[in-house]
Amino acid sequence: MENINRVVTLGQFIIERQKEFPYSKGQLSRLLRDIGIASKIVNREVNKAGLVNILGDAGATNVQGEDVKKLDVFANEQFIAALNAGGECCAVASEEDEDIIPIYSEISKDAKYVVLIDPLDGSSNIDVNVSIGTIFSIYRRTSFNGPGTLEDCLQPGSEQVGAGYVVYGSSTMLVYTTGHGVNGFTLDPSIGEFCLSHPDMRIPENGTIYSVNEGNYVDFPEGIKKYIKYCQEPDKKTKRPYSSRYIGSMVADFHRNLIKGGVFIYPATGKAPEGKLRLGYECNPLSFIIEQAGGKSTDGFNRILDLKPKTLHQRTPVVMGSKNMVEKVEEFLRTYSPVKPVEYFIG
Ligand code: AHM
Ligand code: MG
């Protein structure tokens, strides 16, 4: 008899899904496993964040005589250490580090992958007990041997072979894709395992939530201003007015919109003409996931995954979420702010 209560852990799920890659030798699976383990260590520290006054501030020495690190520094070190020790990764690019971190050792000499990571996103929310996250993106290297190179890390998002995020929230979840749909796992703290809780996640085509930092309103392109007003106008057919929800942690805003339907916007502003969010660490991985879940992600004009990165820490405006909502934003931008950021568009 089938056991309907069978718990599927992240580790089991990754191994079962390996069949989807007929020539795979399990390296990508091991890489995902390494990221999953590091995220559990980070989760443990995130859960202690409120104890900072007891354990000691960053930069101080705590009662155990250990140096207390800022959480984002700690998270960065943990992920890099896990990828270093795992042997499947030949370079890491992190939002925390200016340059890539090439990896080359006896165990990683055949490593095929590079990882781009934002180890702890939404850092302004750490001190106030609001959800924060980790975002990661995996590419096959394009160089042939030796340590990974900058070029390996500057591929367009369409070349990703895997991407995911961890949201450290009221519960901790890891959500990832390898291009065959999106699956979500909730950490069961009693057994210390991520367990499959959200199989085959799909974002509704329409939603009633818009997420944007309206504090920057006066600095927004006319098309975005007009779209925000559109969201606020009553209209029965489209269920307007929509709700405004903005946490200020991209992962948390994204996760809610993925489940409920909605649109997340971080536009170009007068002060930040390229937008604020990073193409490689934030926008590409979340765009891969949203597309795999049936949604859409653009910079307002071009598909994010088609942008060709020029620099490691490049920023881009972003509009992502429910397909029909994103298309509505694009329509407003085309009509009222037809300035196309095309210079880094492929082809
Ligand atoms: P960070 O990488 O410094 O944490 O910044 C990224 C965060 C995102 O999580 C969030 O969507 C955005 O910055 C919020 O920015 P703002 O405060 O300008 O609305
Ligand atoms: Mg970030």
Side-chain angles (χ1 to χ4, degrees):
M1 200 178 85
E2 194 188 348
N3 179 2
I4 53 165
N5 289 325
R6 180 176 167 242
V7 173
V8 178
T9 66
L10 176 65
Q12 288 166 334
F13 186 87
I14 290 171
I15 291 166
E16 280 168 26
R17 284 298 170 102
Q18 210 174 296
K19 297 193 279 290
E20 285 167 355
F21 303 92
Y23 303 107
S24 141
K25 296 201 187 84
Q27 290 109 318
L28 181 59
S29 301
R30 284 196 290 275
L31 185 57
L32 287 165
R33 184 207 54 195
D34 296 339
I35 293 173
I37 292 169
S39 70
K40 285 196 255 182
I41 298 172
V42 171
N43 177 65
R44 188 189 64 202
E45 294 304 304
V46 167
N47 283 335
K48 290 196 291 196
L51 296 169
V52 76
N53 288 332
I54 303 168
L55 300 176
D57 273 329
T61 306
N62 68 16
V63 283
Q64 283 91 31
E66 300 156 333
D67 287 340
V68 180
K69 296 211 163 95
K70 281 182 72 182
L71 262 184
D72 39 10
V73 177
F74 176 84
N76 193 36
E77 289 177 359
Q78 285 301 320
F79 283 106
I80 292 169
L83 293 168
N84 229 317
E88 308 302 345
C89 180
C90 64
V92 187
S94 165
E95 205 197 89
E96 292 282 325
D97 293 297
E98 198 167 325
D99 299 315
I100 69 158
I101 299 150
I103 297 176
Y104 193 68
S105 67
E106 191 50 39
I107 55 161
S108 66
K109 62 183 187 319
D110 296 321
K112 286 199 175 64
Y113 297 102
V114 295
V115 173
L116 273 64
I117 191 157
D118 184 352
L120 210 57
D121 184 66
S123 38
S124 66
N125 282 323
I126 295 174
D127 294 340
V128 290
N129 215 344
V130 171
S131 300
I132 45 182
T134 294
I135 314 172
F136 62 90
S137 169
I138 305 171
Y139 295 84
R140 203 166 280 116
R141 70 184 301 173
T142 51
S143 57
F144 296 107
N145 46 39
T149 65
L150 178 61
E151 283 64 43
D152 293 330
C153 300
L154 288 180
Q155 302 182 56
S158 54
E159 295 299 317
Q160 288 172 103
V161 293
Y165 63 84
V166 184
V167 57
Y168 310 96
S170 47
S171 59
T172 295
M173 273 193 76
L174 187 150
V175 174
Y176 84 96
T177 184
T178 49
H180 297 269
V182 179
N183 291 283
F185 300 78
T186 302
L187 183 63
D188 179 342
S190 66
I191 58 169
E193 294 278 7
F194 283 108
C195 302
L196 181 62
S197 53
H198 294 62
D200 197 16
M201 297 173 85
R202 306 290 299 169
I203 182 167
E205 285 205 335
N206 293 297
T208 55
I209 294 173
Y210 69 103
S211 316
V212 62
N213 185 346
E214 283 182 69
N216 295 328
Y217 184 87
V218 293
D219 214 18
F220 283 161
E222 200 52 32
I224 298 295
K225 286 183 179 168
K226 287 263 195 320
Y227 177 74
I228 291 173
K229 287 297 158 215
Y230 164 87
C231 292
Q232 295 168 348
E233 280 159 16
D235 175 60
K236 275 218 174 81
K237 201 166 143 256
T238 51
K239 299 193 179 134
R240 284 179 290 146
Y242 297 154
S243 289
S244 165
R245 293 282 182 274
Y246 191 74
I247 296 168
S249 276
M250 190 184 193
V251 170
D253 280 309
F254 178 91
H255 184 68
R256 182 206 50 242
N257 290 358
L258 173 60
I259 291 175
K260 295 196 163 187
V263 65
F264 175 90
I265 308 172
Y266 208 112
T269 64
K271 271 185 241 99
E274 306 294 331
K276 172 183 181 187
L277 299 172
R278 314 284 181 159
L279 176 60
Y281 311 110
E282 291 157 337
C283 298
N284 270 336
L286 296 183
S287 299
F288 188 22
I289 294 170
I290 210 80
E291 286 197 3
Q292 283 294 313
K296 195 168 175 183
S297 178
T298 78
D299 64 4
F301 301 92
N302 310 299
R303 182 180 178 230
I304 289 282
L305 295 182
D306 285 338
L307 303 179
K308 173 82 184 96
K310 281 187 181 147
T311 59
L312 209 46
H313 297 277
Q314 182 170 323
R315 299 170 196 267
T316 177
V318 66
V319 181
M320 56 165 62
S322 294
K323 183 170 170 289
N324 294 339
M325 295 183 88
V326 172
E327 286 173 0
K328 196 70 181 173
V329 180
E330 290 180 304
E331 195 183 306
F332 273 87
L333 281 167
R334 272 197 310 272
T335 311
Y336 299 104
S337 312
V339 188
K340 297 185 176 62
V342 287
E343 328 91 83
Y344 41 74
F345 183 55
I346 300 180

